[in-house]
Amino acid sequence: MSLQTSRLPLKKRIRRALSDGFMRASIAAAQDLINRKRQDRFAELGDIDSWREAAAEIRAHTLDHLDFYLDRFVTQAEASGCRVYFADDAAEANRIAAELLGSKKARKAAKSKSMVTEEIGLNEALQEIGVEVIETDLGEYLLQIDNADKPSHIVIPALHKDRERFRRVLAEKKGYSGDAAPENMTRFVRGVLRQEFLSADVGITGCNFAVAETGTLVLVTNEGNGRFVTTLPKTQLVFLGMERLVPTLSDLDVLLTLLPRSAVGSRASVYMTLLTGPRRTNDLDGPDEIHIIIVDNGRSEVLGSPFRDVLRCIRCGTCMLECPAYRHISGHGYGALYPGPLGAALMPALGGYPAFKEIVKICSLCGACDEVCPVKIPLHKLIFEHRRRIAEELRLNSRLEDAVFGSAATALGSPFIYRTATKAAFLANLAPRIGPLRGWTKSRRLMKIPTRRFRDWYKKHRAQEGN
């Protein structure tokens, strides 16, 4: 995978998503359920805004001093026995990984869920050199064997599927003969994956956070697959987005208090793994080697841009669960690895406007995402700034959009044209039957515009009162 998950035009993606009734119902049910649970868990913390403020300050402070904390983390990680590499882009990250796996003569890698490895297309790069990559997160695994389907949410990747679809896929691809009960299918997959863990040459993980003061890697999972990936294979590769640092363990406590509550409405994740260096002499398990690849892949440019606040993100996905647009089109409608309000703010900054200028149009600018973001990213303001740059600085809008908004600006700037246009505004009552508004008004009933303007009525009314 890479940053772009679909080559379809925006309208086709949205039509396809809107026509998927099951997906829309699943997203709506998940939003309603998790949002209620999140509110309950937040209420237990008391003054939630002070928690969010503290988390925002930690993330902002880290970004302000990122070079210092990166240097400190690398020093501590190497002191604990890890090997650390820097990759400027996806190609370099994949090249380093390929060389490491080649030096181990690895043929199979067990991998836990990781957005940054999806971002750089690691699976495809390793498959090209003959390494089989096994996804071990249950949702990711089911998508992988279902013809490498794309995730629809960054925390709940298979949200758009139903249990019967999974039963058919497991039967066709893995010989499952049971029913569609989730616990039975999960038990079957657990047996399959157990053998994959035991036979994997290398374990691959992402990293939720990396603690600068101790060189510690932090993994937050709910299924235990992360524990297997980090303990059974002798060699472990960790991909770390360069912004995912926290200065101290005390700072980590604040972020881990908010992350599971925001992501799935839980007080804590089922598994939380802190790794500081490879296995030591008296340790019972753990990898003999840990290689950490710190990935830039455009983050340095975002850090120096007006969109740097989006790098505060802790990948909880809360903004998606609150977003009314995401509710109807899911992650697939965005056609981007990072969907929802996060994607609309991040993707144009990370992947460029030529590929992602359309994604910002999905946002209604309602600001609901801002109200729930645990690190207070002003998402809708960043999305609005993208729109402004696209229209005013880069002039990337279509000719039709330029013509419409240019005409509006001319009319609003000229008293004569404005007066004439508002007097003729009642003609817009025909809009449902003509022009580009026809599709938009198909399911809406617009208010009828009166033939007389309010100011004309008021002027006449005052004149009559004066008489």
Side-chain angles (χ1 to χ4, degrees), residues 415-426:
F416 172 73
I417 297 177
Y418 177 81
R419 186 166 54 250
T420 304
T422 52
K423 284 189 174 182
F426 70 91

PDB file of all heavy atoms in Angstrom, residues 415-426:
ATOM      1  N   PRO A 415     -21.918  47.206  -6.102  1.00  0.00           N
ATOM      2  CA  PRO A 415     -23.293  47.477  -5.660  1.00  0.00           C
ATOM      3  C   PRO A 415     -24.322  47.312  -6.766  1.00  0.00           C
ATOM      4  O   PRO A 415     -25.415  46.767  -6.541  1.00  0.00           O
ATOM      5  CB  PRO A 415     -23.224  48.933  -5.179  1.00  0.00           C
ATOM      6  CG  PRO A 415     -21.785  49.134  -4.812  1.00  0.00           C
ATOM      7  CD  PRO A 415     -21.000  48.305  -5.788  1.00  0.00           C
ATOM      8  N   PHE A 416     -23.974  47.738  -7.983  1.00  0.00           N
ATOM      9  CA  PHE A 416     -24.941  47.636  -9.078  1.00  0.00           C
ATOM     10  C   PHE A 416     -25.237  46.173  -9.420  1.00  0.00           C
ATOM     11  O   PHE A 416     -26.386  45.755  -9.528  1.00  0.00           O
ATOM     12  CB  PHE A 416     -24.397  48.363 -10.311  1.00  0.00           C
ATOM     13  CG  PHE A 416     -25.240  48.143 -11.535  1.00  0.00           C
ATOM     14  CD1 PHE A 416     -26.482  48.757 -11.679  1.00  0.00           C
ATOM     15  CD2 PHE A 416     -24.802  47.274 -12.548  1.00  0.00           C
ATOM     16  CE1 PHE A 416     -27.263  48.522 -12.806  1.00  0.00           C
ATOM     17  CE2 PHE A 416     -25.587  47.043 -13.670  1.00  0.00           C
ATOM     18  CZ  PHE A 416     -26.816  47.665 -13.794  1.00  0.00           C
ATOM     19  N   ILE A 417     -24.140  45.385  -9.573  1.00  0.00           N
ATOM     20  CA  ILE A 417     -24.337  43.967  -9.926  1.00  0.00           C
ATOM     21  C   ILE A 417     -25.031  43.239  -8.791  1.00  0.00           C
ATOM     22  O   ILE A 417     -25.913  42.398  -9.014  1.00  0.00           O
ATOM     23  CB  ILE A 417     -22.979  43.304 -10.275  1.00  0.00           C
ATOM     24  CG1 ILE A 417     -22.369  43.972 -11.499  1.00  0.00           C
ATOM     25  CG2 ILE A 417     -23.165  41.810 -10.529  1.00  0.00           C
ATOM     26  CD1 ILE A 417     -21.004  43.428 -11.872  1.00  0.00           C
ATOM     27  N   TYR A 418     -24.654  43.583  -7.539  1.00  0.00           N
ATOM     28  CA  TYR A 418     -25.274  42.915  -6.385  1.00  0.00           C
ATOM     29  C   TYR A 418     -26.774  43.193  -6.355  1.00  0.00           C
ATOM     30  O   TYR A 418     -27.592  42.290  -6.161  1.00  0.00           O
ATOM     31  CB  TYR A 418     -24.622  43.398  -5.090  1.00  0.00           C
ATOM     32  CG  TYR A 418     -25.254  42.809  -3.849  1.00  0.00           C
ATOM     33  CD1 TYR A 418     -24.918  41.526  -3.429  1.00  0.00           C
ATOM     34  CD2 TYR A 418     -26.206  43.523  -3.126  1.00  0.00           C
ATOM     35  CE1 TYR A 418     -25.508  40.964  -2.303  1.00  0.00           C
ATOM     36  CE2 TYR A 418     -26.813  42.974  -2.012  1.00  0.00           C
ATOM     37  CZ  TYR A 418     -26.452  41.705  -1.598  1.00  0.00           C
ATOM     38  OH  TYR A 418     -27.045  41.153  -0.496  1.00  0.00           O
ATOM     39  N   ARG A 419     -27.139  44.479  -6.594  1.00  0.00           N
ATOM     40  CA  ARG A 419     -28.556  44.847  -6.561  1.00  0.00           C
ATOM     41  C   ARG A 419     -29.324  44.128  -7.675  1.00  0.00           C
ATOM     42  O   ARG A 419     -30.403  43.573  -7.462  1.00  0.00           O
ATOM     43  CB  ARG A 419     -28.682  46.371  -6.713  1.00  0.00           C
ATOM     44  CG  ARG A 419     -30.095  46.895  -6.556  1.00  0.00           C
ATOM     45  CD  ARG A 419     -30.119  48.395  -6.375  1.00  0.00           C
ATOM     46  NE  ARG A 419     -29.412  49.105  -7.426  1.00  0.00           N
ATOM     47  CZ  ARG A 419     -28.251  49.747  -7.250  1.00  0.00           C
ATOM     48  NH1 ARG A 419     -27.668  49.750  -6.066  1.00  0.00           N
ATOM     49  NH2 ARG A 419     -27.660  50.380  -8.256  1.00  0.00           N
ATOM     50  N   THR A 420     -28.732  44.127  -8.865  1.00  0.00           N
ATOM     51  CA  THR A 420     -29.396  43.471  -9.994  1.00  0.00           C
ATOM     52  C   THR A 420     -29.523  41.968  -9.753  1.00  0.00           C
ATOM     53  O   THR A 420     -30.566  41.348 -10.009  1.00  0.00           O
ATOM     54  CB  THR A 420     -28.580  43.710 -11.291  1.00  0.00           C
ATOM     55  OG1 THR A 420     -28.428  45.122 -11.480  1.00  0.00           O
ATOM     56  CG2 THR A 420     -29.280  43.100 -12.485  1.00  0.00           C
ATOM     57  N   ALA A 421     -28.426  41.367  -9.240  1.00  0.00           N
ATOM     58  CA  ALA A 421     -28.426  39.909  -9.028  1.00  0.00           C
ATOM     59  C   ALA A 421     -29.430  39.505  -7.961  1.00  0.00           C
ATOM     60  O   ALA A 421     -30.146  38.507  -8.117  1.00  0.00           O
ATOM     61  CB  ALA A 421     -27.029  39.448  -8.645  1.00  0.00           C
ATOM     62  N   THR A 422     -29.518  40.286  -6.857  1.00  0.00           N
ATOM     63  CA  THR A 422     -30.464  39.913  -5.792  1.00  0.00           C
ATOM     64  C   THR A 422     -31.914  40.125  -6.229  1.00  0.00           C
ATOM     65  O   THR A 422     -32.807  39.423  -5.756  1.00  0.00           O
ATOM     66  CB  THR A 422     -30.178  40.714  -4.503  1.00  0.00           C
ATOM     67  OG1 THR A 422     -30.123  42.122  -4.814  1.00  0.00           O
ATOM     68  CG2 THR A 422     -28.860  40.292  -3.886  1.00  0.00           C
ATOM     69  N   LYS A 423     -32.138  41.076  -7.108  1.00  0.00           N
ATOM     70  CA  LYS A 423     -33.508  41.257  -7.613  1.00  0.00           C
ATOM     71  C   LYS A 423     -33.925  40.093  -8.514  1.00  0.00           C
ATOM     72  O   LYS A 423     -35.110  39.790  -8.621  1.00  0.00           O
ATOM     73  CB  LYS A 423     -33.614  42.583  -8.382  1.00  0.00           C
ATOM     74  CG  LYS A 423     -33.672  43.804  -7.467  1.00  0.00           C
ATOM     75  CD  LYS A 423     -33.989  45.063  -8.238  1.00  0.00           C
ATOM     76  CE  LYS A 423     -34.178  46.245  -7.263  1.00  0.00           C
ATOM     77  NZ  LYS A 423     -34.538  47.486  -7.966  1.00  0.00           N
ATOM     78  N   ALA A 424     -32.909  39.500  -9.146  1.00  0.00           N
ATOM     79  CA  ALA A 424     -33.215  38.370 -10.040  1.00  0.00           C
ATOM     80  C   ALA A 424     -33.009  37.033  -9.347  1.00  0.00           C
ATOM     81  O   ALA A 424     -33.113  35.979  -9.979  1.00  0.00           O
ATOM     82  CB  ALA A 424     -32.326  38.452 -11.284  1.00  0.00           C
ATOM     83  N   ALA A 425     -32.752  37.065  -8.020  1.00  0.00           N
ATOM     84  CA  ALA A 425     -32.403  35.825  -7.309  1.00  0.00           C
ATOM     85  C   ALA A 425     -33.531  34.812  -7.318  1.00  0.00           C
ATOM     86  O   ALA A 425     -33.299  33.612  -7.251  1.00  0.00           O
ATOM     87  CB  ALA A 425     -32.007  36.154  -5.870  1.00  0.00           C
ATOM     88  N   PHE A 426     -34.796  35.311  -7.422  1.00  0.00           N
ATOM     89  CA  PHE A 426     -35.928  34.360  -7.394  1.00  0.00           C
ATOM     90  C   PHE A 426     -35.868  33.372  -8.557  1.00  0.00           C
ATOM     91  O   PHE A 426     -36.465  32.305  -8.518  1.00  0.00           O
ATOM     92  CB  PHE A 426     -37.254  35.143  -7.394  1.00  0.00           C
ATOM     93  CG  PHE A 426     -37.549  35.843  -8.692  1.00  0.00           C
ATOM     94  CD1 PHE A 426     -38.289  35.198  -9.688  1.00  0.00           C
ATOM     95  CD2 PHE A 426     -37.092  37.135  -8.927  1.00  0.00           C
ATOM     96  CE1 PHE A 426     -38.570  35.855 -10.873  1.00  0.00           C
ATOM     97  CE2 PHE A 426     -37.361  37.781 -10.122  1.00  0.00           C
ATOM     98  CZ  PHE A 426     -38.091  37.136 -11.093  1.00  0.00           C
TER      99      PHE A 426
END
